[in-house]
Amino acid sequence: MLKTLIVLLLSCSLAACADSDTAAPADTDPIRPSPDTGVEEDADEDVSPQEDTDPEPDTDTDTDPEPDTDPEPDTDPEPDTGPDPVCCTPGETSCVGGAEFIECVDNGNLCGQWTEAALCPGGASCSANACDVCVDNDDDGFGEGCLAGPDCDDSDASIHPGADELCDGIDNNCDGATDEGFNVGEACSVGLGACEGFGQLECRYDGTGTFCDALPSSGSTEVCDQQDNDCDGAVDEDNVCGGTNPDPDPDPEPTSCTNDSYGTTNASSLSGVEFFSGGFEEMTLCPGEGYDWFYLGHLAAGERVQVELAYNPSTSSINFSLWAGSRQIKYGQGSNGLREIDHTLSSSDVQAATERITLQVYYSGSSSLPTGGIDYLIENVSP
């Protein structure tokens, strides 16, 4: 019995060994994935390109322009407009254009801050990162260091670049020229015929224009000589040459103009009727006479003569002049029906105590004297 059991055990043992020897092909059996999947998982980790070659994690930060390409934190000088402001040194200034500046102030966190742009004080310009000092002594806006520019005369507010040029011998607009546009010094004439006087243009007293400094001479009786002897604009009128031919240029109709006591009867002596300081006269300058004389007295050097004359410029033009003895020393100046003489006598004017100081009013137009004469007002306002 024991032998039988031993045989049976040996038989079972041999059967089991036979089973294990024939099971080797099971390693490749497709229905047993456990041994194979272990190898496949290792292979996936080694050769899978997804984790290493996927561009998305790498290009997200490269293509985002905000953190890399935004220049504002680096270039904006204003500390409060970016996370990384540009610091400045407190007290530092900088120009903004030619008239404004900015200043660096301490903002309390060890980094200065630029202020808003402000105009330089006192009308000054801004250059070299700082406001200049405007030196404007006459308060016309122009001067050294001023925004408007330099001034050619900082003692007169009427003289500066861009000012109106006057006829006064001064460069009013600082362009390097004097009295441009007024033709000062050009030849001119006044009076008609034999009375025509020649001179040159001079500036008016108010600087607005010029006048001719010539004086017409006195006329004479008309004679047959092809000349306008009586200075009325006609030649050889009133049949002075004889014959039966009618007068080619007769005199105008008789006029009602009545000459006053300041007429040409005093011309030779340059006397005239005394004209006191503060005096005022209504006068008429008549045709054929053409002169009125006013005697101011025996004046000395240092005394001031101030006389004003007014007339209607639509009728014609008249002027007046100041005389010392037989010498003319000053012309009236003005325009638009107003003339003035304001002159302080000098020692060269009054050469002798006996010289009489007189005024001559005369016609200075370019055509004949109106038949009715020229009415005018004259006032001696001398002090």
Side-chain angles (χ1 to χ4, degrees):
M1 185 68 174
L2 180 60
K3 182 188 266 186
T4 302
L5 291 172
I6 294 170
V7 171
L8 289 173
L9 289 172
L10 289 173
S11 299
C12 291
S13 176
L14 291 174
C17 291
D19 291 338
S20 62
D21 291 338
T22 58
D27 292 338
T28 59
D29 189 350
I31 66 173
R32 298 179 58 191
S34 296
D36 297 333
T37 57
V39 175
E40 290 176 358
E41 289 177 359
D42 293 338
D44 290 340
E45 291 177 358
D46 294 337
V47 300
S48 176
Q50 294 180 357
E51 294 180 0
D52 296 332
T53 60
D54 185 4
E56 294 179 0
D58 296 330
T59 57
D60 285 344
T61 56
D62 294 337
T63 58
D64 186 2
E66 294 182 0
D68 295 332
T69 61
D70 186 4
E72 291 182 1
D74 296 330
T75 60
D76 189 354
E78 296 184 4
D80 57 352
T81 57
D84 186 17
V86 174
C87 293
C88 57
T89 304
E92 182 182 1
T93 59
S94 179
C95 290
V96 180
E100 296 180 316
F101 74 102
I102 54 176
E103 183 178 5
C104 183
V105 298
D106 188 355
N107 63 358
N109 27 332
L110 304 179
C111 182
Q113 179 178 357
W114 291 108
T115 62
E116 295 291 333
L119 286 172
C120 288
S125 58
C126 192
S127 62
N129 293 327
C131 287
D132 298 319
V133 176
C134 176
V135 180
D136 181 15
N137 295 320
D138 56 8
D139 296 326
D140 60 1
F142 295 84
E144 190 66 29
C146 299
L147 178 63
D151 198 345
C152 63
D153 185 346
D154 208 20
S155 63
D156 190 333
S158 67
I159 301 175
H160 57 77
D164 292 333
E165 184 70 12
L166 299 177
C167 187
D168 56 3
I170 299 173
D171 180 13
N172 308 97
N173 57 12
C174 298
D175 65 351
T178 300
D179 298 340
E180 61 269 27
F182 289 101
N183 303 319
V184 175
E186 280 192 4
C188 60
S189 65
V190 295
L192 299 173
C195 300
E196 187 174 15
F198 298 90
Q200 62 182 15
L201 295 177
E202 291 189 4
C203 292
R204 294 173 179 165
Y205 78 98
D206 59 0
T208 60
T210 58
F211 73 98
C212 186
D213 65 358
L215 285 174
S217 59
S218 300
S220 59
T221 302
E222 190 73 13
V223 297
C224 183
D225 60 358
Q226 297 297 307
Q227 300 293 323
D228 181 12
N229 309 105
D230 57 5
C231 308
D232 65 352
V235 176
D236 296 342
E237 70 272 20
D238 297 330
N239 200 26
V240 295
C241 293
T244 58
N245 292 330
D247 188 349
D249 189 7
D251 282 340
E253 294 297 323
T255 175
S256 60
C257 182
T258 302
N259 191 44
D260 43 59
S261 59
Y262 303 91
T264 56
T265 54
N266 298 313
S268 59
S269 63
L270 303 178
S271 58
V273 175
E274 192 162 6
F275 190 35
F276 294 102
S277 177
F280 178 88
E281 297 287 348
E282 297 182 12
M283 305 295 297
T284 301
L285 191 63
C286 289
E289 299 289 344
Y291 297 99
D292 282 339
W293 288 93
F294 298 84
Y295 170 52
L296 303 181
H298 293 291
L299 304 180
E303 293 193 70
R304 181 183 179 188
V305 175
Q306 188 177 8
V307 182
E308 297 176 352
L309 182 148
Y311 64 96
N312 183 358
S314 65
T315 57
S316 189
S317 178
I318 57 177
N319 202 354
F320 66 147
S321 59
L322 182 65
W323 293 68
S326 60
R327 292 173 291 103
Q328 181 176 295
I329 58 177
K330 185 71 176 179
Y331 292 98
Q333 296 182 322
S335 61
N336 297 324
L338 297 175
R339 304 283 188 182
E340 179 185 53
I341 289 178
D342 188 355
H343 181 68
T344 299
L345 297 170
S346 66
S347 57
S348 61
D349 295 330
V350 184
Q351 299 179 2
T354 57
E355 286 184 324
R356 297 169 65 86
I357 306 301
T358 55
L359 291 169
Q360 181 196 54
V361 179
Y362 59 92
Y363 166 66
S364 63
S366 58
S367 59
S368 60
L369 199 65
T371 57
I374 301 176
D375 294 329
Y376 66 94
L377 305 176
I378 188 167
E379 183 176 8
N380 184 0
V381 293
S382 301

